[in-house]
Protein backbone atom coordinates (compact mmCIF):
# COMPACT_ATOMS: atom_id res chain seq x y z
CA UNK A 1 0.00 0.00 0.00
CA UNK A 2 1.34 3.39 -1.00
CA UNK A 3 1.15 5.86 1.84
CA UNK A 4 2.10 9.49 1.79
CA UNK A 5 2.54 12.30 4.29
CA UNK A 6 -1.06 13.48 3.98
CA UNK A 7 -2.53 10.02 4.55
CA UNK A 8 -0.34 9.53 7.59
CA UNK A 9 -1.39 12.96 8.91
CA UNK A 10 -5.05 12.00 8.40
CA UNK A 11 -4.41 8.74 10.27
CA UNK A 12 -2.96 10.77 13.16
CA UNK A 13 -6.17 12.84 13.39
CA UNK A 14 -8.48 9.81 13.36
CA UNK A 15 -6.26 7.94 15.81
CA UNK A 16 -6.08 11.03 18.03
CA UNK A 17 -9.88 11.27 18.17
CA UNK A 18 -10.11 7.58 19.11
CA UNK A 19 -7.46 7.93 21.81
CA UNK A 20 -9.16 11.02 23.23
CA UNK A 21 -12.53 9.20 23.41
CA UNK A 22 -10.94 6.29 25.27
CA UNK A 23 -9.11 8.56 27.71
CA UNK A 24 -12.23 10.58 28.36
CA UNK A 25 -14.05 7.32 29.10
CA UNK A 26 -11.24 6.30 31.49
CA UNK A 27 -11.61 9.63 33.32
CA UNK A 28 -15.41 9.36 33.53
CA UNK A 29 -15.10 5.86 34.99
CA UNK A 30 -12.45 6.69 37.60
CA UNK A 31 -12.95 10.43 38.28
CA UNK A 32 -9.14 10.65 38.43
CA UNK A 33 -7.59 14.08 37.82
CA UNK A 34 -4.42 12.48 36.45
CA UNK A 35 -6.42 10.66 33.80
CA UNK A 36 -8.31 13.87 33.05
CA UNK A 37 -5.06 15.73 32.39
CA UNK A 38 -4.01 12.83 30.20
CA UNK A 39 -7.23 13.24 28.22
CA UNK A 40 -6.69 17.00 27.97
CA UNK A 41 -3.29 16.32 26.48
CA UNK A 42 -5.03 14.31 23.76
CA UNK A 43 -7.19 17.30 22.75
CA UNK A 44 -3.97 19.19 22.07
CA UNK A 45 -2.85 16.18 20.00
CA UNK A 46 -5.93 16.40 17.79
CA UNK A 47 -5.54 20.17 17.29
CA UNK A 48 -1.85 19.69 16.54
CA UNK A 49 -2.52 16.89 14.03
CA UNK A 50 -5.10 18.99 12.20
CA UNK A 51 -2.59 21.85 12.08
CA UNK A 52 0.04 19.44 10.78
CA UNK A 53 -2.25 18.18 8.00
CA UNK A 54 -2.99 21.76 6.93
CA UNK A 55 0.70 22.64 6.96
CA UNK A 56 1.60 19.56 4.88
CA UNK A 57 -1.11 20.52 2.37
CA UNK A 58 0.27 24.06 2.17
CA UNK A 59 3.84 22.79 1.92
CA UNK A 60 2.83 20.56 -1.02
CA UNK A 61 1.64 23.55 -3.09
CA UNK A 62 4.16 24.04 -5.90
CA UNK A 63 6.07 27.31 -6.07
CA UNK A 64 4.01 30.21 -7.38
CA UNK A 65 4.51 33.87 -8.29
CA UNK A 66 4.54 34.99 -4.67
CA UNK A 67 6.57 32.07 -3.28
CA UNK A 68 9.42 31.29 -5.64
CA UNK A 69 11.06 29.01 -3.07
CA UNK A 70 7.88 26.96 -2.56
CA UNK A 71 5.75 26.70 0.57
CA UNK A 72 7.84 24.27 2.58
CA UNK A 73 8.30 26.46 5.61
CA UNK A 74 4.64 25.99 6.49
CA UNK A 75 5.83 22.70 8.00
CA UNK A 76 8.45 24.43 10.11
CA UNK A 77 5.90 26.90 11.43
CA UNK A 78 3.60 23.99 12.30
CA UNK A 79 6.38 22.10 14.09
CA UNK A 80 7.37 25.30 15.93
CA UNK A 81 3.82 25.81 17.21
CA UNK A 82 3.56 22.11 17.98
CA UNK A 83 6.61 22.41 20.22
CA UNK A 84 4.77 25.06 22.24
CA UNK A 85 1.66 22.87 22.42
CA UNK A 86 3.84 20.09 23.85
CA UNK A 87 5.08 22.55 26.48
CA UNK A 88 1.52 23.63 27.31
CA UNK A 89 0.57 19.98 27.77
CA UNK A 90 3.50 19.55 30.16
CA UNK A 91 2.38 22.55 32.21
CA UNK A 92 -1.19 21.20 32.33
CA UNK A 93 0.20 18.01 33.83
CA UNK A 94 2.33 19.97 36.29
CA UNK A 95 -0.71 22.01 37.26
CA UNK A 96 -2.79 18.90 37.96
CA UNK A 97 0.08 17.18 39.79
CA UNK A 98 1.05 20.05 42.09
CA UNK A 99 -2.50 20.22 43.42
CA UNK A 100 -2.30 16.52 44.28
CA UNK A 101 1.06 16.88 46.02
CA UNK A 102 -0.62 18.88 48.78
CA UNK A 103 -3.98 17.21 48.58
CA UNK A 104 -3.55 13.49 47.77
CA UNK A 105 -6.80 11.89 46.67
CA UNK A 106 -7.68 8.35 47.59
CA UNK A 107 -8.41 6.46 44.40
CA UNK A 108 -11.39 4.20 43.96
CA UNK A 109 -11.29 0.97 41.99
CA UNK A 110 -9.53 2.02 38.82
CA UNK A 111 -8.60 -1.26 37.09
CA UNK A 112 -10.98 -0.76 34.17
CA UNK A 113 -9.99 2.87 33.76
CA UNK A 114 -6.33 1.94 33.66
CA UNK A 115 -6.97 -0.86 31.16
CA UNK A 116 -8.79 1.55 28.85
CA UNK A 117 -6.04 4.14 29.27
CA UNK A 118 -3.40 1.52 28.44
CA UNK A 119 -5.29 0.54 25.28
CA UNK A 120 -5.35 4.20 24.22
CA UNK A 121 -1.64 4.44 24.97
CA UNK A 122 -0.88 1.42 22.75
CA UNK A 123 -2.77 3.06 19.88
CA UNK A 124 -0.76 6.24 20.47
CA UNK A 125 2.50 4.28 20.50
CA UNK A 126 1.73 2.65 17.15
CA UNK A 127 0.66 6.01 15.67
CA UNK A 128 3.84 7.66 16.91
CA UNK A 129 5.95 4.96 15.29
CA UNK A 130 4.10 5.14 11.95
CA UNK A 131 4.47 8.93 11.90
CA UNK A 132 8.13 8.79 12.83
CA UNK A 133 8.91 6.30 10.03
CA UNK A 134 7.10 8.43 7.45
CA UNK A 135 8.81 11.57 8.80
CA UNK A 136 12.24 9.98 8.29
CA UNK A 137 11.28 8.75 4.80
CA UNK A 138 9.85 12.05 3.58
CA UNK A 139 11.99 14.48 5.58
CA UNK A 140 8.81 16.10 6.89
CA UNK A 141 9.61 18.17 9.97
CA UNK A 142 5.89 18.60 10.75
CA UNK A 143 5.39 14.82 10.89
CA UNK A 144 8.50 14.43 13.01
CA UNK A 145 7.24 17.07 15.43
CA UNK A 146 3.89 15.34 15.67
CA UNK A 147 5.43 11.88 16.14
CA UNK A 148 7.56 13.19 19.02
CA UNK A 149 4.49 14.84 20.48
CA UNK A 150 2.61 11.54 20.37
CA UNK A 151 5.58 9.76 21.91
CA UNK A 152 5.69 12.28 24.73
CA UNK A 153 2.01 11.53 25.21
CA UNK A 154 2.80 7.80 25.42
CA UNK A 155 5.42 8.50 28.10
CA UNK A 156 3.09 10.70 30.12
CA UNK A 157 0.29 8.13 29.88
CA UNK A 158 2.56 5.33 31.05
CA UNK A 159 3.68 7.53 33.94
CA UNK A 160 0.09 8.21 34.92
CA UNK A 161 -1.00 4.57 34.63
CA UNK A 162 1.99 3.21 36.55
CA UNK A 163 1.58 5.89 39.20
CA UNK A 164 -2.12 5.24 39.64
CA UNK A 165 -1.56 1.48 39.70
CA UNK A 166 1.14 1.60 42.37
CA UNK A 167 -0.85 4.16 44.34
CA UNK A 168 -3.96 1.95 44.30
CA UNK A 169 -1.98 -1.06 45.57
CA UNK A 170 0.13 0.65 48.23
CA UNK A 171 -2.03 3.57 49.18
CA UNK A 172 0.95 5.90 48.57
CA UNK A 173 -1.14 8.38 46.65
CA UNK A 174 1.71 10.92 46.65
CA UNK A 175 3.42 8.69 44.02
CA UNK A 176 0.83 9.68 41.45
CA UNK A 177 1.72 13.40 41.26
CA UNK A 178 5.46 12.70 41.72
CA UNK A 179 5.60 10.38 38.70
CA UNK A 180 3.48 12.76 36.67
CA UNK A 181 5.92 15.60 37.46
CA UNK A 182 8.86 13.48 36.34
CA UNK A 183 7.08 12.73 33.09
CA UNK A 184 6.32 16.43 32.64
CA UNK A 185 10.06 17.20 32.80
CA UNK A 186 10.72 14.63 30.03
CA UNK A 187 7.94 16.17 27.94
CA UNK A 188 9.33 19.70 28.44
CA UNK A 189 12.72 18.55 27.14
CA UNK A 190 11.05 17.04 24.08
CA UNK A 191 9.02 20.19 23.43
CA UNK A 192 12.12 22.36 23.59
CA UNK A 193 13.84 19.95 21.16
CA UNK A 194 10.98 20.24 18.65
CA UNK A 195 10.95 24.06 18.87
CA UNK A 196 14.72 24.18 18.44
CA UNK A 197 14.74 21.85 15.44
CA UNK A 198 11.93 23.77 13.73
CA UNK A 199 13.81 27.02 14.23
CA UNK A 200 17.08 25.83 12.66
CA UNK A 201 15.45 25.73 9.22
CA UNK A 202 13.34 28.83 9.90
CA UNK A 203 16.53 30.70 10.84
CA UNK A 204 18.33 29.47 7.69
CA UNK A 205 20.99 27.64 9.67
CA UNK A 206 23.89 26.47 7.48
CA UNK A 207 24.03 22.84 6.43
CA UNK A 208 27.44 21.42 7.42
CA UNK A 209 26.95 18.26 5.32
CA UNK A 210 26.19 20.30 2.20
CA UNK A 211 29.16 22.62 2.80
CA UNK A 212 31.44 19.62 3.21
CA UNK A 213 30.15 18.15 -0.04
CA UNK A 214 30.69 21.44 -1.90
CA UNK A 215 34.28 21.50 -0.67
CA UNK A 216 34.80 17.91 -1.83
CA UNK A 217 33.28 18.58 -5.25
CA UNK A 218 35.32 21.75 -5.68
CA UNK A 219 38.45 19.88 -4.63
CA UNK A 220 37.83 17.35 -7.39
CA UNK A 221 36.97 20.00 -10.00
CA UNK A 222 39.54 21.97 -12.00
CA UNK A 223 39.35 24.92 -14.40
CA UNK A 224 38.82 27.72 -11.88
CA UNK A 225 41.04 29.89 -9.68
CA UNK A 226 39.20 29.94 -6.36
CA UNK A 227 35.78 30.03 -4.79
CA UNK A 228 34.42 31.88 -1.76
CA UNK A 229 31.33 33.08 0.13
CA UNK A 230 29.62 29.69 0.41
CA UNK A 231 26.11 30.08 1.81
CA UNK A 232 23.94 27.06 2.47
CA UNK A 233 20.59 26.49 4.05
CA UNK A 234 18.02 23.74 4.06
CA UNK A 235 14.32 23.31 4.40
CA UNK A 236 13.20 19.77 5.12
CA UNK A 237 14.72 17.81 2.25
CA UNK A 238 15.25 20.91 0.08
CA UNK A 239 18.79 22.28 0.04
CA UNK A 240 19.95 25.68 -1.17
CA UNK A 241 23.53 26.76 -1.88
CA UNK A 242 25.27 29.75 -3.37
CA UNK A 243 28.89 30.77 -3.73
CA UNK A 244 31.24 32.85 -5.83
CA UNK A 245 33.51 31.20 -8.38
CA UNK A 246 36.61 33.05 -9.58
CA UNK A 247 37.79 32.10 -13.08
CA UNK A 248 40.33 33.42 -15.59
CA UNK A 249 39.27 36.72 -17.16
CA UNK A 250 39.42 35.36 -20.68
CA UNK A 251 37.23 32.32 -20.00
CA UNK A 252 34.18 32.36 -22.27
CA UNK A 253 30.68 32.61 -20.87
CA UNK A 254 29.99 29.24 -22.50
CA UNK A 255 32.91 27.54 -20.75
CA UNK A 256 32.16 29.04 -17.36
CA UNK A 257 28.55 27.99 -17.65
CA UNK A 258 29.60 24.48 -18.57
CA UNK A 259 31.87 24.46 -15.50
CA UNK A 260 29.10 25.60 -13.13
CA UNK A 261 26.57 23.20 -14.66
CA UNK A 262 29.04 20.37 -14.04
CA UNK A 263 29.43 21.39 -10.37
CA UNK A 264 25.65 21.63 -9.97
CA UNK A 265 25.15 18.19 -11.53
CA UNK A 266 27.73 16.69 -9.17
CA UNK A 267 26.01 18.22 -6.10
CA UNK A 268 22.62 17.04 -7.29
CA UNK A 269 23.78 13.42 -7.05
CA UNK A 270 23.80 13.66 -3.24
CA UNK A 271 21.17 16.40 -2.85
CA UNK A 272 18.52 15.72 -5.54
CA UNK A 273 16.33 18.72 -4.69
CA UNK A 274 19.19 21.22 -4.34
CA UNK A 275 18.99 24.70 -5.83
CA UNK A 276 22.47 26.03 -6.53
CA UNK A 277 23.46 29.52 -7.57
CA UNK A 278 27.07 30.04 -8.59
CA UNK A 279 28.17 33.63 -9.12
CA UNK A 280 31.08 33.74 -11.60
CA UNK A 281 33.80 36.40 -11.23
CA UNK A 282 36.85 37.05 -13.36
CA UNK A 283 40.27 36.89 -11.63
CA UNK A 284 40.83 40.68 -11.61
CA UNK A 285 37.48 41.18 -9.88
CA UNK A 286 37.50 38.40 -7.26
CA UNK A 287 36.42 39.58 -3.82
CA UNK A 288 38.73 37.27 -1.87
CA UNK A 289 41.04 34.30 -2.21
CA UNK A 290 40.17 32.00 0.67
CA UNK A 291 40.15 28.71 -1.17
CA UNK A 292 42.58 27.54 -3.82
CA UNK A 293 41.80 24.46 -5.92
CA UNK A 294 44.10 21.48 -5.61
CA UNK A 295 46.94 21.88 -8.13
ZN1 LIG B 1 22.68 27.50 -16.18
ZN1 LIG C 1 33.12 37.17 -4.82
Amino acid sequence: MMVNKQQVAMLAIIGGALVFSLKLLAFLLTDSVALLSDALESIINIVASIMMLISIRIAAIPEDQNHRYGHNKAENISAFVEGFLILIAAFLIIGASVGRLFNPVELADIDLGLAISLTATCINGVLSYVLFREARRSGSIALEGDSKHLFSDVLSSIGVVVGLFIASITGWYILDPLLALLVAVIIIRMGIGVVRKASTDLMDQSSPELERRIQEVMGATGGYIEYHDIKTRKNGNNYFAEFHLCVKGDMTVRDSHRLTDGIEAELRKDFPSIQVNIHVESEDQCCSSLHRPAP
Side-chain angles (χ1 to χ4, degrees):
M1 188 180 67
M2 183 64 197
V3 288
N4 62 32
K5 286 199 280 189
Q6 292 197 22
Q7 285 167 322
V8 170
M10 190 58 98
L11 185 72
I13 295 172
I14 297 166
L18 180 64
V19 168
F20 170 65
S21 313
L22 287 172
K23 286 186 174 173
L24 194 65
L25 183 64
F27 158 67
L28 291 173
L29 282 169
T30 60
D31 209 24
S32 151
V33 186
L35 286 177
L36 174 64
S37 75
D38 208 30
L40 285 180
E41 221 267 356
S42 287
I43 296 181
I44 294 180
N45 273 353
I46 298 172
V47 174
S49 296
I50 292 171
M51 192 177 64
M52 175 185 67
L53 180 65
I54 294 170
S55 83
I56 287 176
R57 288 241 164 107
I58 295 174
I61 299 171
E63 61 180 72
D64 57 28
Q65 285 226 308
N66 296 326
H67 303 89
R68 285 300 186 200
Y69 292 100
H71 301 79
N72 248 301
K73 280 192 173 157
E75 287 204 21
N76 295 79
I77 296 169
S78 168
F80 191 79
V81 175
E82 174 120 23
F84 279 100
L85 290 179
I86 294 174
L87 292 175
I88 290 172
F91 288 118
L92 281 180
I93 293 169
I94 290 175
S97 307
V98 167
R100 287 231 167 163
L101 274 181
F102 303 105
N103 187 18
V105 178
E106 189 173 335
L107 301 167
D109 177 52
I110 52 170
D111 292 349
L112 181 59
L114 291 187
I116 292 172
S117 182
L118 267 183
T119 308
T121 301
C122 288
I123 296 173
N124 254 347
V126 172
L127 272 180
S128 167
Y129 175 71
V130 171
L131 260 66
F132 186 71
R133 224 181 36 179
E134 177 63 15
R136 273 294 139 91
R137 196 192 64 77
S138 62
S140 164
I141 184 131
L143 273 184
E144 189 179 323
D146 210 46
S147 80
K148 286 193 176 161
H149 185 172
L150 282 181
F151 189 65
S152 76
D153 193 33
V154 170
L155 290 182
S156 73
S157 301
I158 290 173
V160 167
V161 168
V162 170
L164 289 180
F165 181 68
I166 296 175
S168 72
I169 292 176
T170 61
W172 300 337
Y173 294 112
I174 194 92
L175 265 182
D176 169 31
L178 283 180
L179 262 170
L181 283 174
L182 182 72
V183 170
V185 171
I186 298 171
I187 294 175
I188 286 173
R189 281 191 57 186
M190 195 171 279
I192 290 173
V194 169
V195 168
R196 188 177 282 166
K197 179 147 192 197
S199 5
T200 59
D201 284 4
L202 281 176
M203 292 300 292
D204 291 337
Q205 186 170 303
S206 301
S207 161
E209 72 265 29
L210 177 54
E211 270 177 34
R212 214 176 304 122
R213 186 71 195 125
I214 290 173
Q215 278 156 9
E216 284 167 16
V217 168
M218 294 313 285
T221 305
Y224 67 95
I225 295 168
E226 53 97 3
Y227 63 98
H228 55 270
D229 274 11
I230 301 180
K231 286 178 187 160
T232 60
R233 65 194 173 92
K234 75 179 204 41
N235 201 346
N237 278 348
N238 298 315
Y239 286 82
F240 303 86
E242 57 184 88
F243 60 92
H244 297 182
L245 184 69
C246 187
V247 300
K248 283 196 162 166
D250 60 359
M251 193 178 208
T252 63
V253 173
R254 180 180 290 120
D255 285 345
S256 68
H257 184 238
R258 193 174 293 146
L259 178 62
T260 56
D261 267 4
I263 294 166
E264 289 175 25
E266 199 58 42
L267 289 172
R268 204 158 283 123
K269 285 179 187 167
D270 290 307
F271 302 91
S273 62
I274 194 171
Q275 291 186 35
V276 198
N277 248 311
I278 304 174
H279 171 78
V280 176
E281 298 166 342
S282 73
E283 55 191 321
D284 53 323
Q285 293 167 343
C286 288
C287 12
S288 75
S289 53
L290 294 171
H291 306 276
R292 297 269 168 200

